[in-house]
Amino acid sequence: MRFIVKTVIVAVALWVATQLVSGIEVTASTTAKGLGTLLAVALIFGLVNAVIKPIVQTIGCAFYVLTLGLFALIVNGALLLFTSWIAEQLNLPFHVDGFWSALVGAVIVAVVSWILDLIIPG
């Protein structure tokens, strides 16, 4: 049950990012397809964060220490950009236009997810 709640929270956070960042968009033809796309992208983003992020954190440990954790912003932006690439390979109508959009979008997704995690019991 927690997995489903977390996926929905990330989908909502991605929707907020699409509303606030002009370089992140869902181009689905209907609202239902847009919701399905956001849920699918939330699943992909969760898998990317579960599999690739620990590897990057291990390899880039020194960068995390040297930048006092700010390197995590760059990693999160790159992972959102990678998620966009995977979504495009799966023909999902989700696109992130460039690294800066991904960086800002990743910050928004992180903040909104954190707030919703505080509000919604899991």
Side-chain angles (χ1 to χ4, degrees), residues 22-45:
S22 62
I24 301 175
E25 58 188 5
V26 175
T27 57
S29 56
T30 65
T31 303
K33 288 182 182 179
L35 290 173
T37 298
L38 287 171
L39 286 172
V41 171
L43 283 170
I44 294 168
F45 193 54

Side-chain angles (χ1 to χ4, degrees), residues 1-77:
M1 185 65 172
R2 176 73 181 143
F3 175 76
I4 294 169
V5 171
K6 186 66 176 169
T7 301
V8 171
I9 286 173
V10 173
V12 170
L14 285 167
W15 176 79
V16 171
T18 64
Q19 300 303 305
L20 297 177
V21 181
S22 62
I24 301 175
E25 58 188 5
V26 175
T27 57
S29 56
T30 65
T31 303
K33 288 182 182 179
L35 290 173
T37 298
L38 287 171
L39 286 172
V41 171
L43 283 170
I44 294 168
F45 193 54
L47 287 172
V48 165
N49 276 317
V51 175
I52 296 176
K53 191 172 186 177
I55 296 168
V56 172
Q57 286 176 331
T58 302
I59 293 171
C61 182
F63 291 114
Y64 282 93
V65 172
L66 288 174
T67 64
L68 302 175
L70 291 177
F71 186 65
L73 296 174
I74 294 170
V75 170
N76 288 339

Side-chain angles (χ1 to χ4, degrees), residues 59-120:
I59 293 171
C61 182
F63 291 114
Y64 282 93
V65 172
L66 288 174
T67 64
L68 302 175
L70 291 177
F71 186 65
L73 296 174
I74 294 170
V75 170
N76 288 339
L79 292 177
L80 184 59
L81 199 57
F82 183 59
T83 300
S84 171
W85 179 81
I86 292 172
E88 288 175 8
Q89 300 307 308
L90 297 173
N91 293 323
L92 293 171
F94 178 80
H95 180 71
V96 177
D97 187 32
F99 180 75
W100 293 111
S101 295
L103 183 69
V104 174
V107 170
I108 291 170
V109 168
V111 169
V112 171
S113 294
W114 175 69
I115 291 170
L116 290 176
D117 272 335
L118 291 175
I119 296 170
I120 297 171

